[in-house]
Amino acid sequence: MAGIKDVAQLAGVSTATVSRALSGNGRVSERARARVLQAARELDFVVSSTASSLASGRHRNIGVVVPSVARWYYSQIVDSLAASLLTAGYDLTLYNLNEDAGLRDRVLSEFLLRQRCDGVIPVSLELSREELGQLLAVGKPVVGIGGPLPGAETYSVNDREIAELATEHLISLGHRRIAHIGGSDAFENDFRIAGTRRHGYESAMAAAGLEILDSWRVDADFTIQGAHSQAKQLLGYPRDTPTAVFCASDEMAIGAILAARELGLRVPEDVSVIGIDGHELGEALGLTTVAQFPRQQGKRAVERLLQILQDPGAYRPTNHSARTALIIRSSTAAPAA
């Protein structure tokens, strides 16, 4: 089998240049890198991951922890993380917690510490100072997605602000009877997203001097099916029926639109619906939404983590604001006279 010296001789460079070109660590001119890659292909040379990790102290593997890959937001982020890491020549070890608190403790206290991961990307997990400190103490930098983590770099949206923005959009159209389909207490474990978005809705309504009936605040499970059932009850009674519904996620907004149609209501003529996320199905259904571009969040997190691995001194514990945008489509309009 060809060795690194054979590749260096054929490419006309030093073995150190071959190592830098194939590992991605260190500066190499594009011309030299091309010669090394061509020589490696001609000789069928494959870098030994074991030898490389022993020499560099790196395993070129990133641990990613998510509450559930079944939900659209998380699946989009995982897909983006995997693509970005693959492009950079890194492997991904995925820990799908399935929203199991016991499994979460084992992953954070055992698996991540013993596995050969160079860094960790937790998604929508509110790590305690002890959990975060344990990872950092063994040299695993953390770049989180979904909320601020004291002592780590993170990327997240301001859930209260985007909920206010969604509600204010309905108010600006002239709606006064606005309902909210949010998440139940089961979704308050990490970063309290459901409660924070509910508070944003309530804040916007209060600022406009609008009343909120108890029957206008209902909880679901962030799924199309769960919101569909709740929306049928919310919109199925003529008394105090809202003219608009703000849903805490696009999947729930899609469920609300389907429920309205089953009840013979027209969207937006009889009821306007708005969500949060930027789900690709939203465009097909004409759903107005506050998009948060999860794929961009994943890409930025990988880029930042790899920068930190190259230069540990670049680690700056702070929360970076992720991009959001109000995308107005046909599911919202002024209320009927």
Side-chain angles (χ1 to χ4, degrees):
M1 293 179 64
I4 192 170
K5 291 182 179 179
D6 301 309
V7 176
Q9 183 176 4
L10 182 59
V13 298
S14 67
T15 55
T17 299
V18 173
S19 177
R20 290 196 299 271
L22 295 180
S23 70
N25 296 321
R27 294 183 178 180
V28 179
S29 71
E30 288 304 315
R31 183 177 179 183
R33 189 188 307 278
R35 290 206 307 271
V36 169
L37 294 176
Q38 179 60 32
R41 282 194 293 269
E42 292 181 14
L43 295 173
D44 292 325
F45 176 78
V46 178
V47 178
S48 166
S49 61
T50 302
S52 178
S53 64
L54 288 173
S56 66
R58 300 273 177 80
H59 304 284
R60 300 190 72 79
N61 181 45
I62 302 299
V64 175
V65 190
V66 296
S68 171
V69 294
R71 302 193 184 281
W72 178 84
Y73 172 75
Y74 302 135
S75 67
Q76 291 290 297
I77 285 182
V78 169
D79 191 58
S80 174
L81 293 174
S84 297
L85 288 170
L86 182 62
T87 300
Y90 275 74
D91 293 322
L92 177 151
T93 299
L94 177 64
Y95 298 94
N96 178 24
L97 302 183
N98 288 315
E99 298 171 349
D100 184 326
L103 185 57
R104 167 195 167 122
D105 291 339
R106 290 190 64 196
V107 167
L108 294 175
S109 63
E110 298 177 31
F111 297 161
L112 283 173
L113 298 181
R114 77 184 185 205
Q115 292 296 333
R116 296 174 177 176
C117 298
D118 295 326
V120 180
I121 300 178
V123 181
S124 292
L125 293 174
E126 190 172 9
L127 303 183
S128 68
R129 289 188 180 275
E130 291 74 19
E131 291 170 334
L132 183 60
Q134 196 171 28
L135 292 172
L136 296 177
V138 294
K140 299 185 188 297
V142 176
V143 176
I145 300 174
L149 296 172
E153 291 206 29
T154 53
Y155 292 87
S156 66
V157 300
N158 187 315
D159 287 292
R160 181 175 180 126
E161 286 186 359
I162 60 178
E164 289 176 342
L165 178 61
T167 308
E168 288 166 355
H169 169 67
L170 297 173
I171 294 171
S172 71
L173 292 173
H175 291 280
R176 297 296 177 264
R177 295 155 56 189
I178 303 172
H180 174 56
I181 300 179
S184 65
D185 291 341
F187 299 92
E188 293 293 81
N189 294 333
D190 293 283
F191 300 118
R192 293 163 292 283
I193 292 175
T196 302
R197 292 182 181 179
R198 184 183 304 112
H199 292 155
Y201 154 76
E202 293 170 345
S203 175
M205 293 288 282
L210 300 179
E211 180 184 10
I212 301 175
L213 301 185
D214 290 339
S215 60
W216 291 351
R217 282 180 288 209
V218 297
D219 293 335
D221 58 0
F222 283 92
T223 68
I224 294 175
Q225 297 88 341
H228 174 267
S229 174
Q230 293 292 344
K232 286 192 76 170
Q233 297 183 49
L234 175 67
L235 302 173
Y237 300 99
R239 183 179 179 182
D240 298 325
T241 301
T243 62
V245 182
F246 158 51
C247 300
S249 76
D250 278 357
E251 289 183 83
M252 293 200 290
I254 291 169
I257 290 176
L258 296 177
R261 290 178 177 175
E262 287 185 19
L263 292 170
L265 298 174
R266 298 167 301 164
V267 177
E269 292 85 355
D270 298 317
V271 60
S272 287
V273 179
I274 188 172
I276 288 177
D277 275 336
H279 198 297
E280 62 265 21
L281 287 179
E283 185 173 2
L285 292 172
L287 175 64
T288 297
T289 183
V290 181
Q292 61 169 324
F293 310 101
R295 298 187 66 85
Q296 292 184 12
Q297 295 176 30
K299 185 174 184 293
R300 291 182 68 190
V302 167
E303 290 173 348
R304 189 64 187 125
L305 183 57
L306 297 187
Q307 288 173 357
I308 294 168
L309 289 173
Q310 290 288 342
D311 179 13
Y315 199 54
R316 298 287 184 272
T318 185
N319 182 57
H320 305 277
S321 296
R323 175 190 171 205
T324 61
L326 174 63
I327 301 176
I328 302 173
R329 300 192 180 106
S330 61
S331 70
T332 54

